[in-house]
Structure formats: structure tokens, C-alpha cells
Amino acid sequence: MSGLAAGGGVDAIALDLAHAPLPADEVIAGAPTTAVHELATLGGVEVGVWEMTPGTATDTETDEVFVVLSGRATIAFASSGLPDLEVGPGSVVRLAEGMRTTWTVTETLRKVYVA
């Protein structure tokens, strides 16, 4: 499925995702892989499903709101003064463009994002 048509639906938890290794310069621990599946673009805003397997990796964020469907992770915010954030099923998080984060995934994390 390469997109979600108006009036269509998808089981975001059961959606089959194709994983790829993260770039080596982003990986801090383990051998995490990620997958992404864009569901729709609405008025220039992307909606999709993203997943990361256990491990620790860094990222530079885009403006995004996401809801965790399954799994667990800790998100650390570099040089922002924000406390680490523990996320799990049902967590709703907002990230801002340019935030430097470190994701420590302890159980494969799947989220639906709006960015």
C-alpha cells in the first residue's frame, strides 16, 4: 500500500514495514533498524508510520507530533535543558525542527506521526 485513499483505512499496528539499518554515524549502541511508511499528505503535512528496533541512535528532528502505538523508548534532548522523556503505548509527543535527540529503544517502537 503506497498511500491511504480518502475513505480508506489501515491497521497501523499490523502494517508490514521494510526495515533498513541506520547510518553508522547515528548509531550509539546496538544495531537498530528503522522503517517508515507514508500514509498520506494533507495540505503539505505528512502522516505516516515509523518504527525503530532496539538500540540507541541520534537524530535531528523535524516539526512533528506523534502517538506511540507499541514499544518503549527514552528520548534524550541534547542541550535543550529538557528532561529525558519515557514513551510507550499512548504517549503523545511534540518535537520541534532542529532538536537534537538520542533515542534509546528498549522494545521495538512504532508510532504514527504527523510532520
Side-chain angles (χ1 to χ4, degrees), residues 60-113:
T60 301
E61 303 299 338
T62 61
D63 282 325
E64 172 184 351
V65 172
F66 67 84
V67 179
V68 175
L69 299 175
S70 59
R72 300 214 170 269
T74 301
I75 305 167
F77 300 94
S79 66
S80 67
L82 295 171
D84 291 358
L85 186 61
E86 302 284 333
V87 298
S91 296
V92 179
V93 178
R94 179 170 187 276
L95 300 172
E97 180 79 28
M99 281 182 147
R100 294 284 305 146
T101 56
T102 299
W103 293 69
T104 301
V105 175
T106 54
E107 296 172 24
T108 297
L109 186 81
R110 183 172 286 209
K111 66 182 184 178
V112 170
Y113 66 87

Side-chain angles (χ1 to χ4, degrees), residues 1-73:
M1 180 173 170
S2 62
L4 191 59
V10 65
D11 183 339
I13 293 175
L15 189 64
D16 190 30
L17 300 174
H19 278 253
L22 285 165
D25 63 338
E26 294 178 9
V27 176
I28 295 173
T33 62
T34 60
V36 65
H37 183 92
E38 183 177 334
L39 296 172
T41 300
L42 309 168
V45 176
E46 183 179 316
V47 179
V49 177
W50 179 89
E51 186 171 81
M52 181 176 158
T53 61
T56 303
T58 61
D59 196 16
T60 301
E61 303 299 338
T62 61
D63 282 325
E64 172 184 351
V65 172
F66 67 84
V67 179
V68 175
L69 299 175
S70 59
R72 300 214 170 269

